[in-house]
Amino acid sequence: LESLRLCAVGLTSLAPLCALPALAELDVRANPIPASSDAARELGAVFASCGALASFKLAPCDLASAPRSVIPGGLRAFCLLRSSGALRELEGKAVSPNERHFVVGQYLAKRAARAAKAEAAGAAKDRRATTHAAGATGGAPVAAGAAAPNPNGRPGRPTSAPSIRKEHT
């Protein structure tokens, strides 16, 4: 099956369409597909399993107008990122190689920025852990994740601070 039109038939899930990998044209307009993260995952799965999909139509339906919290980047970018290079028409509008390149480039730039931010946060956390451990060892730096030596000089489990003993006079 290469072409499937299921317009206004009460379709509420896209998951069964994943079993049709040879689809080149898919029209599921005017169905009550909910604006949910589950439906968005199903849509992504359809694009992943239907590598030959060249034309896709979804709107109008709740999923097509879902907020960016459900469909990151909006419907068009979401579909372009998950589709193969075969997708040539989306919602009745042509998909150009330049548009695909632009959307993928934006996605990769955002992903790289998130990774750099996470790496910087991890490095800051490591520095804080090293500083905290150094304070517990009397100033000697300790690598993050390494156990600090017992400051009391006694064998056993290391502590993070010296114990306080009351002197009896």
Side-chain angles (χ1 to χ4, degrees), residues 9-39:
V9 295
L11 186 68
T12 58
S13 172
L14 297 170
L17 303 174
C18 292
L20 304 169
L23 276 179
E25 296 179 31
L26 179 60
D27 187 346
V28 291
R29 291 178 289 174
N31 283 294
I33 300 168
S36 69
S37 56
D38 288 339

Side-chain angles (χ1 to χ4, degrees), residues 57-125:
K57 295 177 183 169
L58 178 68
C61 78
D62 289 343
L63 182 60
S65 57
R68 290 180 185 258
S69 59
V70 174
I71 298 184
L75 180 65
R76 194 160 180 92
F78 182 88
C79 293
L80 286 173
L81 287 170
R82 284 153 183 83
S83 67
S84 70
L87 189 65
R88 298 288 178 244
E89 181 186 1
L90 182 59
E91 297 296 341
K93 296 179 184 172
V95 174
S96 72
N98 287 344
E99 179 186 15
R100 183 184 311 279
H101 181 73
F102 177 76
V103 169
V104 171
Q106 277 190 321
Y107 170 77
L108 293 174
K110 286 178 184 176
R111 192 168 107 182
R114 280 193 305 267
K117 185 176 179 181
E119 186 176 324
K125 184 179 178 182

